[in-house]
Amino acid sequence: MANLRTAMDSAFWDQPISSSQTLEGCAYSIPGDPFPLEVTRASKALRVQQLSLLGNGFPLGTIPSFSPTSTKDLGSFSLQSLFLKLTNHNGWLGLIGQFRPKKLISSIKGEFTNADEFEWPAFKDVAKHVFDKSIYSLGLFSQLSLSSSSVLLSTERHGDKRRPRYKMMLWHELPDHDITLEASWPGLFLNHKGNYWDVPESISLDMSSLPSKSGFRYRFGVHKNGGHPQPVNTLNGEVPCALMPGLCAKAAFSYEKSKDFWRHKDEIDDTAEKTDKGKVLPSFDMRLREPHAAISGIIGGTSAAWFGGSESSPSTELHVDMDTSISTKKRSPLNADLFGSVCYTFQHGRFAKLYCDLTRVDARLDICSASSLAKRVYNIFRRSSFSNADNPLSSPKLSLILQQQVAGPIMVRVDSKFSLGSSSGKQGPHVEDLICSLSYSLRLLRSGKVVAWYSPKRKEGNG
């Protein structure tokens, strides 16, 4: 089934989302926004590990990436490569480099176009463009593992940005819980409209329970934002209330249940090599080895208390610079809400043969905020002139996921999300988001795969 825990994680706080805006390869969803598409969930493998594996299949170990920049002459296309990787039994150290060729090519072409002939000054100007720091980015990442704890430290510097990024993460495993401490300067967040926001200081500490057989799960923690959020790729907009300065204590719970209509159990020993005639190879992905039809659901709730910041201030307008104007609304110091999702899954094939052995469809209906939906329904029945369409949480969302085997371990996937009601600027049901991806499953890793995705809405993609 589609990962229903996406609903709880994004409603809580730190749902990691794949992004090519940073060398780390991820941003975070904004609490209070509609649940993101399942395919956008960031990989558990760190970017250094991904590049180390992907580099073996690309010329010179360079990986293409697409992400819009604030300066148009830099272009969206970039090349990433792992320059250095040092490993031992306790951790590793990696250096990632990125190069944007569009500006360099355009500058060199302009130099020789304007020159009367190939003279030495023209070559000197070419060298100047080669050493233009705005087209380069560097990131240093390190991880140290000690028994049940792990620490990740990273810093990256983009030549077209004024300030570097710093990040620290600490994971600690308990018998039934995970503890995570995370700090970013600045923290990068992505809203449901595809706009990025930088929070100068973002610190979070939370504890989450491990999945249980009963389906019950809970999570609680504290989060601190410092400084006013800055827009990354928008000139005018409204600052999300959840990103404004302040300290937030939050708790969430959920209960998940699933029911199979039918399922073909896979009794094959997937640890053995089975290549002789009459024997069947294991599935390319162990999570897709059983054809089935099932329905699943999750219901949960969140509560939050804000201290400090702008919880009592009226709506204000912030002027970030001469060309940027952003506003923010009043934030409630206390709030609580319910959310829920129901998902139907149908899978044909076990993804083991070379052709025509996997077709899978997931349809998931999300209620991101029960209170916002109730207000919308109430206003409709009252025929009130007050419209709740500007609240993205007031409309149910329908997510459709189609997965189809192309050949062998290669699979194409299309994730789409529809709003079933009107929203700001759009009337009636409409498409909110669409992401296409191509994956290559690695049978030896049982459920590991290499994924390349592209988002038309965000105009970015990554491998």
Side-chain angles (χ1 to χ4, degrees):
M1 71 187 72
N3 192 346
L4 293 179
R5 293 191 182 95
T6 300
M8 179 176 180
D9 291 341
S10 57
F12 187 76
W13 182 266
D14 56 353
Q15 169 69 64
I17 297 176
S18 293
S19 172
S20 55
Q21 286 285 332
T22 64
L23 296 181
E24 180 193 11
C26 93
Y28 291 90
S29 63
I30 297 176
D33 265 15
F35 306 151
L37 287 173
E38 176 60 32
V39 73
T40 61
R41 192 181 181 100
S43 170
K44 292 182 179 180
L46 301 174
R47 190 58 180 166
V48 171
Q49 298 169 325
Q50 296 175 30
L51 291 178
S52 178
L53 176 63
L54 291 173
N56 297 324
F58 285 85
L60 303 178
T62 56
I63 315 300
S65 179
F66 296 88
S67 62
T69 59
S70 55
T71 308
K72 290 186 178 181
D73 60 349
L74 288 176
S76 298
F77 179 73
S78 64
L79 296 171
Q80 295 181 354
S81 182
L82 181 62
F83 291 153
L84 173 68
K85 185 180 180 182
L86 303 176
T87 61
N88 59 30
H89 62 284
N90 283 334
W92 50 261
L93 176 71
L95 179 66
I96 297 177
Q98 178 177 272
F99 165 60
R100 293 187 179 274
K102 180 182 177 182
K103 183 178 180 180
L104 177 62
I105 295 174
S106 299
S107 300
I108 293 177
K109 182 180 178 181
E111 288 292 344
F112 286 106
T113 300
N114 297 329
D116 295 333
E117 55 185 20
F118 293 99
E119 299 177 347
W120 173 245
F123 285 98
K124 288 178 62 178
D125 291 334
V126 168
K128 178 185 67 176
H129 295 303
V130 170
F131 291 102
D132 182 0
K133 67 176 184 178
S134 67
I135 63 177
Y136 300 104
S137 301
L138 284 175
L140 184 64
F141 303 84
S142 63
Q143 184 178 26
L144 179 64
S145 300
L146 300 172
S147 63
S148 59
S149 299
S150 182
V151 180
L152 173 67
L153 301 174
S154 67
T155 179
E156 57 184 84
R157 183 65 185 259
H158 297 257
D160 59 323
K161 302 292 177 59
R162 290 179 297 177
R163 293 183 299 177
R165 294 183 177 275
Y166 301 98
K167 186 172 184 179
M168 183 276 293
M169 294 186 70
L170 170 64
W171 296 279
H172 182 70
E173 296 180 356
L174 297 176
D176 298 314
H177 299 83
D178 284 337
I179 298 177
T180 305
L181 172 64
E182 182 173 349
S184 302
W185 300 273
L188 183 65
F189 293 84
L190 176 67
N191 68 10
H192 67 285
K193 297 179 180 179
N195 298 327
Y196 286 94
W197 294 85
D198 267 338
V199 178
E201 180 185 64
S202 177
I203 302 175
S204 65
L205 171 64
D206 69 79
M207 174 183 286
S208 60
S209 63
L210 298 179
S212 62
K213 293 182 179 180
S214 66
F216 182 72
R217 185 170 174 244
Y218 58 89
R219 188 171 178 177
F220 57 89
V222 292
H223 310 279
K224 178 183 181 296
N225 295 329
H228 287 286
Q230 304 294 317
V232 176
N233 61 344
T234 181
L235 294 179
N236 297 285
E238 186 177 283
V239 179
C241 294
L243 301 185
M244 291 300 293
L247 179 68
C248 177
K250 182 174 283 192
F253 74 92
S254 67
Y255 180 74
E256 182 179 346
K257 202 69 177 176
S258 64
K259 174 69 175 178
D260 289 342
F261 294 112
W262 57 267
R263 181 181 293 268
H264 294 167
K265 290 290 185 179
D266 189 351
E267 300 177 354
I268 297 173
D269 180 10
D270 52 72
T271 61
E273 277 297 323
K274 303 181 179 183
T275 56
D276 298 332
K277 282 190 175 181
K279 294 186 178 181
V280 183
L281 285 168
S283 173
F284 291 108
D285 189 331
M286 290 298 104
R287 293 172 298 183
L288 300 173
R289 62 180 177 175
E290 295 181 347
H292 68 282
I295 189 170
S296 56
I298 185 172
I299 187 172
T302 61
S303 60
W306 282 93
F307 306 93
S310 60
E311 71 275 9
S312 60
S313 63
S315 298
T316 58
E317 185 171 331
L318 305 176
H319 296 278
V320 180
D321 54 41
M322 294 295 292
D323 301 318
T324 304
S325 178
I326 56 177
S327 61
T328 179
K329 287 183 178 180
K330 180 180 178 180
R331 182 175 64 199
S332 174
L334 296 172
N335 60 74
D337 211 338
L338 298 175
F339 62 88
S341 295
V342 60
C343 178
Y344 174 77
T345 300
F346 172 82
Q347 177 179 324
H348 168 75
R350 53 184 301 272
F351 199 32
K353 300 177 183 178
L354 292 179
Y355 301 99
C356 304
D357 198 28
L358 178 69
T359 299
R360 176 171 170 140
V361 178
D362 293 88
R364 191 181 79 194
L365 180 66
D366 295 327
I367 305 297
C368 305
S369 169
S371 63
S372 298
L373 178 61
K375 289 179 183 178
R376 187 185 188 109
V377 173
Y378 177 72
N379 289 327
I380 290 175
F381 279 104
R382 282 190 60 198
R383 296 182 180 179
S384 172
S385 59
F386 172 77
S387 174
N388 203 33
D390 288 338
N391 186 350
L393 301 178
S394 64
S395 298
K397 313 293 180 182
L398 177 63
S399 296
L400 297 178
I401 305 173
L402 172 63
Q403 300 179 73
Q404 177 63 52
Q405 181 186 25
V406 178
I410 301 176
M411 179 175 64
V412 65
R413 171 170 171 162
V414 178
D415 289 57
S416 57
K417 181 168 67 175
F418 301 83
S419 175
L420 301 185
S422 301
S423 61
S424 55
K426 296 182 179 180
Q427 296 295 324
H430 58 276
V431 179
E432 279 198 346
D433 203 357
L434 176 71
I435 293 182
C436 304
S437 61
L438 190 68
S439 65
Y440 185 97
S441 297
L442 304 172
R443 181 177 267 157
L444 293 177
L445 298 181
R446 296 171 61 86
S447 292
K449 57 186 175 182
V450 177
V451 181
W453 59 269
Y454 180 74
S455 169
K457 179 179 180 178
R458 288 152 52 181
K459 297 181 180 179
E460 63 177 276
N462 216 345

